[in-house]
Amino acid sequence: MDTRTLGNDLEVTAIGLGCMGFSHGYGKPTDVDEAVKNIRAAFEMGYRFFDTAEIYQGTNPDGSINYNESIVGQALHDVRDQVVIATKFGIAAHEGNGLKVDSSPETIRRSVEGSLKRLNTDHIDLYYQHRIDPSVEPETVAKVMQELINEGKITHWGISEANEDYLRRANAVCKVTAVQNRYSMMYRDYEKLFPVLEELNVGLVAFSPLANGLLTGQIHQSKFSEGDLRNKMPQFSEQAYQKNRELMELLTKIADRHAATPAQISLAWMINKKPYIVPIPGSRHLNRIKDNLAAADIKMSKEEVQQIDAALDAVPMSDVFGGTKVEKK
Ligand SMILES: NC(=O)c1ccc[n+]([C@@H]2O[C@H](COP(=O)([O-])OP(=O)(O)OC[C@H]3O[C@@H](n4cnc5c(N)ncnc54)[C@H](OP(=O)(O)O)[C@@H]3O)[C@@H](O)[C@H]2O)c1
């Protein structure tokens, strides 16, 4: 697969694998052996960039905790030097309808040790602050990141759901390699950050690049199993399917033109837009993991990307999940 460079020197495959769904967010966790097997198969297919987080956890049928980082660590241990592993700190828990964030230096220190252990590695290639903690200054977080780099525990760092002011302040203390923000054909708000990313030479790792699966055209239901976060996502309501009909038709038309799938077009559109965008679609299924990887081979001209943008601007679209709010302490 083609590679691209995030920040100054972090080489990753043009598409990464989002591993969250194996343990978190989409109902019951996948059986651990199967998850390990599928992540390993993704490596064999050509993926070299894997995304996880400290907070991605579920409960196994025997009641034990299913740590996503452990699964990733197990799958990739013997090929560790050939892959880029990204993980995240800074979300302590999901509470009520919000996230409890904690990026105090002491918590980061504890988190990094836990992640290294679960990932069964001596360093993390890309360590993200998962959400901004309003009670900790960006300079404080960046200083800890510089210390962790000096100690060899991490090699690069990033910020998830970063805004311009925070990114600039953090980057002034310790070079930021990538932001990991929500970005898809249905959620383009962060295009406003493009000039800043270019000025500072920071990559954009796009999470939920398929709008949590809606843009694949493969999901038609509004009710999902217990614990599946899609039950509360506005793009999966019955009315939303109606409202997004034209959008899906547009996507299918472009897909037909490229002899591709809507999922592949959703990914190819962003890869062809900017050389520093790297989507990390998540899937638990090998056929889909393979389907998504092939998007890296689809070429679109600048004009075609612009035409798609214009069509997306004009087409009716439902609301799309915008993330769980950070609760004030
Ligand atoms: N930084 C953050 O705050 C944050 C937040 C959310 C996610 N993430 C990261 O981003 C990754 C991806 O995000 P996401 O899971 O939210 O959304 P996504 O990648 O937009 O969508 C994932 C959903 O699409 C389905 N899917 C994927 N490829 C498909 C295909 N080719 N055909 C049909 N269905 C397909 C998956 O189902 P199956 O699994 O059933 O195939 C899953 O339900 C996560 O794994 C995680 O690593 C980060």
Side-chain angles (χ1 to χ4, degrees):
M1 195 186 337
D2 282 354
T3 57
R4 18 192 78 189
T5 306
L6 297 174
N8 291 342
D9 60 1
L10 185 63
E11 195 173 299
V12 296
T13 39
I15 294 181
L17 182 68
C19 297
M20 176 184 80
F22 289 108
S23 312
H24 181 96
Y26 291 104
K28 250 185 9 194
T30 306
D31 169 74
V32 170
D33 291 342
E34 191 189 332
V36 169
K37 194 174 87 219
N38 286 358
I39 294 171
R40 181 52 182 232
F43 168 81
E44 307 294 346
M45 273 176 214
Y47 284 89
R48 293 291 181 273
F49 183 32
F50 296 85
D51 188 79
T52 179
E54 174 185 42
I55 193 69
Y56 298 161
Q57 301 173 13
T59 308
N60 291 316
D62 66 2
S64 60
I65 298 180
N66 180 305
Y67 291 106
N68 197 252
E69 289 180 324
S70 302
I71 293 166
V72 172
Q74 220 179 308
L76 303 173
H77 183 60
D78 64 329
V79 290
R80 177 66 187 93
D81 57 345
Q82 297 176 57
V83 295
V84 170
I85 297 183
T87 191
K88 318 182 191 80
F89 65 89
I91 297 182
H94 291 259
E95 262 187 6
N97 289 322
L99 298 174
K100 183 168 174 274
V101 291
D102 185 353
S103 282
S104 63
E106 312 76 65
T107 300
I108 298 175
R109 285 274 168 192
R110 263 198 312 276
S111 290
V112 76
E113 295 307 330
S115 290
L116 287 168
K117 208 164 155 190
R118 284 186 292 276
L119 287 165
N120 194 8
T121 184
D122 62 357
H123 72 281
I124 292 161
D125 303 296
L126 181 53
Y127 199 36
Y128 297 103
Q129 182 180 20
H130 207 153
R131 284 292 179 279
I132 291 171
D133 178 344
S135 65
V136 183
E137 300 299 323
E139 290 80 5
T140 306
V141 175
K143 188 166 160 281
V144 181
M145 293 301 115
Q146 187 60 63
E147 289 166 7
L148 294 177
I149 290 171
N150 296 346
E151 292 162 26
K153 293 184 173 169
I154 70 171
T155 60
H156 303 81
W157 84 289
I159 305 162
S160 182
E161 295 291 60
N163 61 51
E164 176 175 351
D165 176 59
Y166 194 93
L167 172 61
R168 283 190 186 282
R169 287 176 56 190
N171 186 67
V173 175
C174 179
K175 166 77 190 145
V176 174
T177 292
V179 301
Q180 183 179 127
N181 284 7
R182 184 182 308 278
Y183 185 58
S184 72
M185 284 181 163
M186 293 186 80
Y187 195 101
R188 291 170 56 201
D189 294 18
Y190 287 116
E191 290 186 353
K192 61 178 183 270
L193 267 190
F194 286 176
V196 187
L197 298 178
E198 283 159 32
E199 180 196 324
L200 302 179
N201 189 24
V202 170
L204 170 60
V205 174
F207 80 75
S208 304
L210 303 170
N212 307 98
L214 186 92
L215 292 170
T216 67
Q218 302 283 314
I219 301 175
H220 307 283
Q221 68 210 78
S222 297
K223 287 216 171 10
F224 299 87
S225 65
E226 201 188 320
D228 192 319
L229 300 176
R230 288 174 296 184
N231 283 314
K232 291 191 182 146
M233 294 184 183
Q235 69 268 36
F236 296 110
S237 74
E238 279 173 30
Q239 304 88 306
Y241 284 112
Q242 295 290 333
K243 192 152 186 193
N244 292 321
R245 228 187 29 238
E246 260 184 73
L247 167 67
M248 294 316 300
E249 280 166 12
L250 171 71
L251 207 42
T252 307
K253 210 164 86 192
I254 305 166
D256 289 347
R257 197 161 71 217
H258 284 275
T261 64
Q264 289 169 339
I265 293 301
S266 307
L267 301 171
W269 159 79
M270 64 174 80
I271 292 170
N272 283 281
K273 185 178 279 211
K274 296 286 182 188
Y276 53 82
I277 299 182
V278 177
I280 48 165
S283 176
R284 298 158 290 183
H285 299 103
L286 278 186
N287 57 337
R288 294 171 172 183
I289 291 174
K290 199 166 170 192
D291 189 49
N292 296 342
L293 177 87
D297 298 328
I298 298 173
K299 302 285 175 243
M300 287 181 186
S301 65
K302 206 169 146 203
E303 291 70 36
E304 184 177 8
V305 172
Q306 281 168 355
Q307 278 163 13
I308 296 175
D309 282 351
L312 290 171
D313 287 339
V315 83
M317 249 182 235
S318 73
D319 286 344
V320 63
F321 183 60
T324 309
K325 299 285 169 266
V326 168
E327 292 202 327
K328 292 214 165 57
K329 286 188 186 161

